[in-house]
Amino acid sequence: MTVIFALTIIGSLTALALYRVFFHPLSQFPGPRLAAITGWYETYFDCLCGGTIVRINPWELHIRDPSFFDHFYTSDSKLSKDPWYYNFPGIPRSTFATSPTRLHRPRRAAISRAFAISPSTSKQIESCVERLIKRLRIKEGAVQERKAVRFSNVFWMLASDVVTSCMMPRGTTYTTFPERAPHYPLMFKYLAKVALWSRHFPRLFNMLSTAPHCLANMAAQPVQEALRIQDDIKDQIKLISESHLNSKDNATSLPHHLLDSKLSTTDKCTSRLVEEITMIIGAGTEAVGAALSITVYHLLTHPIALTKIKAELLEAAQHLQWPVSIRVLEQHGSSGDADSDTKFLPSLARSDCHISTDNHSASMASTTISKSSVEDTQVCQLKNLQNPRRDLAQIDVLPYSLLRSQCAYLAACIKEGLRLSKESNRMPRISSVPIIYHNAAEQTTHVIPAGTVVSMSLRDVHLHPSVFPAPHTFNPERWLGKDSSALENYLVPFGKGTRSCPGRALAIEEIFVTIGNLFYHIDMKLWDTSEEDMTAAHDFFSGSETGREGGLTVLLK
């Protein structure tokens, strides 16, 4: 009797499980089978496993504890990347995808030289930003015609122009000629999805990556764009390699640095260099483009913060002396009208408004304006917070050194934008030694065996309420308070340790110069953009928005 009862119970539970998995109305939706079979699965995670360390698959532990992030990723132990997670198609030999420490160290050293910030690097960044602003104000006529501009795409194109101009002999010019790459922004989203699938089906995508280029015309437009970019990179590397054999020039492009490095001959082959440079350009484009979009979106939805930034930029610009064309001065001031003079002079100099009018100076091509004669006008300009420059033929770029030293509120807004960025990857690492994890809040200690994959997510750090109260709120003031220095340890958009992003300094300068000059020269407002458009809904290594195409769109005034 007992046996029959037991078999009845087992049979009933089995039948219930089969029904819930295969015949239940929700059986068509994805999710763990165990979660479909029993509600105890949710009970386990809600009530028993709501801690900071969880096993998320047969071989990996995930830790959600901001206080452990710095210790784990900057520890003395040699951390290797999880080769399964970083199995990106087309770049298996790049420094980014390199797993063993013995291979990563020399590859990282070789590319680090190219990321050193120099005056020429700053000039390249300023030149790209200047081209963008001129395009917005002159070529497109966006200011005069009040056109809507999809800034998400613009920022991706700008980021590509910057990273390629700084890394390669021949950079892209997408901000000037966007028609040359209509599928460029879409390419990154498409490839991110491909990368996710390749992690689970590596052999299939290895076959696709080795397919003949003659089949490219049959592929989707984003794939064709990616192949075209790789072909261009390959052509530039071949030209540099050939000239490098016959000369010892001091060129500072990334291919030159790699060829001059102590890398092995195998690591200097053209095919690996193409993978390396492709990854660097991709990362420098996607990460910076996304950070710019998020930061600008939040500034446009927080008018008080935007007002403070514009005031700060106008005030900071007074620390510079700008050469002004006498011909332009005469065009705007020849009427002798005092009001027109005082309105125009700050727009040219923003710092100085004293014009040297002796005969010798009048014959010169340019002169310098000083602040003393129109100090009251400058004060009014700051109060009104109107961008004074309307000379569309001349764009004076505020340099990074000025923005970083004089614009504390701009820096706070950029930090907050980076904190709220959509970076979602969990950065899994494999330690060669056991890891001791102690959670003070739960009074628990775990010894994680060597060789275990351990991961932590950037978003778990940036959005943890114990570190950042109201974590989803854009609040630049949190970086200006007395405790702001303590928060710096928890701002990790570029990762930490020897595997952190080598282009951190380049990205920071690019973001400063872009946002500072954009709001200094351009007036805009949000257009047809919702919070949903800017919220990460999918984890494709970096966060991706919902399926609605659009992203950040603004209306230029």
Side-chain angles (χ1 to χ4, degrees):
M1 195 68 178
T2 305
V3 174
I4 295 176
F5 179 79
L7 290 175
T8 302
I9 295 297
I10 294 174
S12 299
L13 293 176
T14 302
L16 178 62
L18 291 173
Y19 165 77
R20 288 180 172 178
V21 171
F22 298 107
F23 304 104
H24 191 276
L26 299 181
S27 61
Q28 59 180 313
F29 295 95
R33 293 296 191 191
L34 190 57
I37 292 173
T38 175
W40 289 106
Y41 182 88
E42 181 180 4
T43 303
Y44 172 73
F45 280 99
D46 285 350
C47 303
L48 301 178
C49 203
T52 57
I53 182 168
V54 177
R55 183 181 184 180
I56 62 174
N57 59 41
W59 55 84
E60 182 177 345
L61 296 175
H62 187 271
I63 299 176
R64 185 177 182 264
D65 184 355
S67 63
F68 189 66
F69 188 95
D70 185 76
H71 171 77
F72 177 59
Y73 287 101
T74 61
S75 62
D76 294 333
S77 62
K78 298 178 180 179
L79 297 177
S80 300
K81 284 189 171 182
D82 178 16
W84 176 83
Y85 185 83
Y86 290 95
N87 181 32
F88 282 69
I91 55 166
R93 295 174 293 174
S94 65
T95 301
F96 170 81
T98 301
S99 177
T101 305
R102 59 180 178 80
L103 288 179
H104 176 267
R105 186 180 294 109
R107 290 177 178 177
R108 169 74 179 229
I111 66 174
S112 294
R113 293 173 57 199
F115 285 102
I117 298 297
S118 65
S120 62
T121 305
S122 298
K123 185 177 179 180
Q124 290 284 8
I125 296 174
E126 292 172 11
S127 176
C128 291
V129 173
E130 181 181 5
R131 288 204 309 265
L132 170 61
I133 294 175
K134 282 185 175 180
R135 169 118 185 137
L136 293 174
R137 299 188 64 179
I138 302 174
K139 189 166 184 176
E140 287 186 340
V143 173
Q144 292 85 351
E145 300 176 22
R146 297 176 61 84
K147 289 183 178 178
V149 179
R150 187 170 295 173
F151 262 36
S152 289
N153 291 359
V154 168
F155 286 145
W156 285 50
M157 292 180 178
L158 171 66
S160 174
D161 286 0
V162 170
V163 70
T164 55
S165 298
C166 294
M167 297 291 120
M168 301 295 290
R170 183 177 66 248
T172 60
T173 54
Y174 293 145
T175 50
T176 305
F177 305 103
E179 63 276 4
R180 293 181 179 176
H183 304 285
Y184 188 70
L186 183 61
M187 177 191 72
F188 284 93
K189 295 182 180 181
Y190 187 91
L191 293 179
K193 295 181 181 179
V194 171
L196 180 67
W197 278 80
S198 69
R199 194 181 297 160
H200 299 276
F201 305 97
R203 293 187 179 181
L204 173 61
F205 285 91
N206 285 339
M207 291 172 58
L208 293 177
S209 64
T210 57
H213 268 36
C214 62
L215 300 178
N217 293 332
M218 301 172 58
Q221 289 290 345
V223 175
Q224 294 184 36
E225 182 71 21
L227 294 175
R228 188 194 64 76
I229 291 173
Q230 280 204 330
D231 287 341
D232 180 66
I233 293 172
K234 185 184 298 183
D235 291 341
Q236 292 194 59
I237 291 175
K238 286 182 177 179
L239 288 174
I240 293 173
S241 299
E242 292 172 359
S243 63
H244 190 266
L245 294 174
N246 303 319
S247 64
K248 293 295 182 181
D249 54 22
N250 294 319
T252 58
S253 71
L254 178 57
H256 282 91
H257 282 304
L258 293 174
L259 291 170
D260 287 335
S261 69
K262 297 180 180 180
L263 290 173
S264 64
T265 304
T266 303
D267 271 3
K268 290 183 181 180
C269 69
T270 300
S271 60
R272 199 201 79 83
L273 296 187
V274 170
E275 293 180 16
E276 187 75 270
I277 295 171
T278 298
M279 182 62 233
I280 289 173
I281 292 175
T285 299
E286 192 279 333
V288 175
L292 287 170
S293 294
I294 287 291
T295 306
V296 170
Y297 167 77
H298 282 292
L299 286 173
L300 292 177
T301 54
H302 292 79
I304 295 178
L306 183 57
T307 299
K308 291 181 180 180
I309 279 187
K310 288 188 174 183
E312 192 175 56
L313 291 171
L314 286 170
E315 194 169 341
Q318 296 181 65
H319 293 268
L320 294 178
Q321 289 188 346
W322 306 60
V324 182
S325 169
I326 282 291
R327 178 181 58 82
V328 176
L329 286 174
E330 291 175 347
Q331 289 176 354
H332 290 266
S334 59
S335 65
D337 181 76
D339 290 338
S340 64
D341 285 344
T342 55
K343 288 177 182 177
F344 174 68
L345 293 180
S347 73
L348 288 171
R350 303 194 264 318
S351 57
D352 297 332
C353 288
H354 173 71
I355 305 178
S356 177
T357 55
D358 57 76
N359 293 334
H360 176 70
S361 299
S363 64
M364 297 175 62
S366 63
T367 188
T368 303
I369 302 177
S370 74
K371 175 184 177 183
S372 57
S373 64
V374 288
E375 182 177 356
D376 292 340
T377 303
Q378 287 285 8
V379 171
C380 292
Q381 292 273 348
L382 290 173
K383 287 182 178 180
N384 294 330
L385 300 180
Q386 297 296 321
N387 181 7
R389 175 169 290 281
R390 286 296 174 221
D391 176 16
L392 300 183
Q394 177 67 34
I395 301 296
D396 297 312
V397 177
L398 302 177
Y400 173 66
S401 57
L402 174 75
L403 296 172
R404 193 62 191 262
S405 62
Q406 301 295 326
C407 300
Y409 195 79
L410 172 64
C413 290
I414 290 175
K415 290 177 183 178
E416 192 70 346
L418 289 171
R419 185 184 70 82
L420 293 172
S421 64
K422 297 173 290 186
E423 206 65 44
S424 61
N425 76 86
R426 62 179 189 260
M427 303 192 303
R429 301 289 188 264
I430 303 174
S431 175
S432 58
V433 299
I435 299 173
I436 300 176
Y437 169 61
H438 176 71
N439 187 301
E442 300 176 3
Q443 291 298 309
T444 57
T445 299
H446 301 273
V447 179
I448 303 173
T452 302
V453 180
V454 179
S455 60
M456 299 186 72
S457 300
L458 297 178
R459 288 177 64 83
D460 285 343
V461 178
H462 290 161
L463 300 179
H464 203 286
S466 67
V467 179
F468 300 102
H472 294 279
T473 301
F474 182 79
N475 178 21
E477 278 71 18
R478 72 172 84 237
W479 300 100
L480 300 173
K482 60 181 181 179
D483 298 326
S484 60
S485 58
L487 294 180
E488 297 287 348
N489 291 329
Y490 299 98
L491 184 64
V492 288
F494 304 98
K496 280 205 171 185
T498 58
R499 301 278 184 152
S500 62
C501 175
R504 179 184 183 278
L506 176 64
I508 289 293
E509 181 165 342
E510 180 182 352
I511 293 171
F512 260 91
V513 175
T514 300
I515 293 180
N517 283 280
L518 190 67
F519 285 114
Y520 183 70
H521 290 284
I522 303 292
D523 294 322
M524 69 192 82
K525 66 178 181 179
L526 208 60
W527 180 261
D528 192 27
T529 303
S530 66
E531 185 177 359
E532 183 183 15
D533 294 323
M534 306 304 298
T535 302
H538 308 286
D539 177 16
F540 297 136
F541 189 79
S542 60
S544 179
E545 308 90 348
T546 59
R548 179 181 181 273
E549 185 178 355
L552 175 65
T553 304
V554 304
L555 190 67
L556 303 180
K557 300 179 181 179

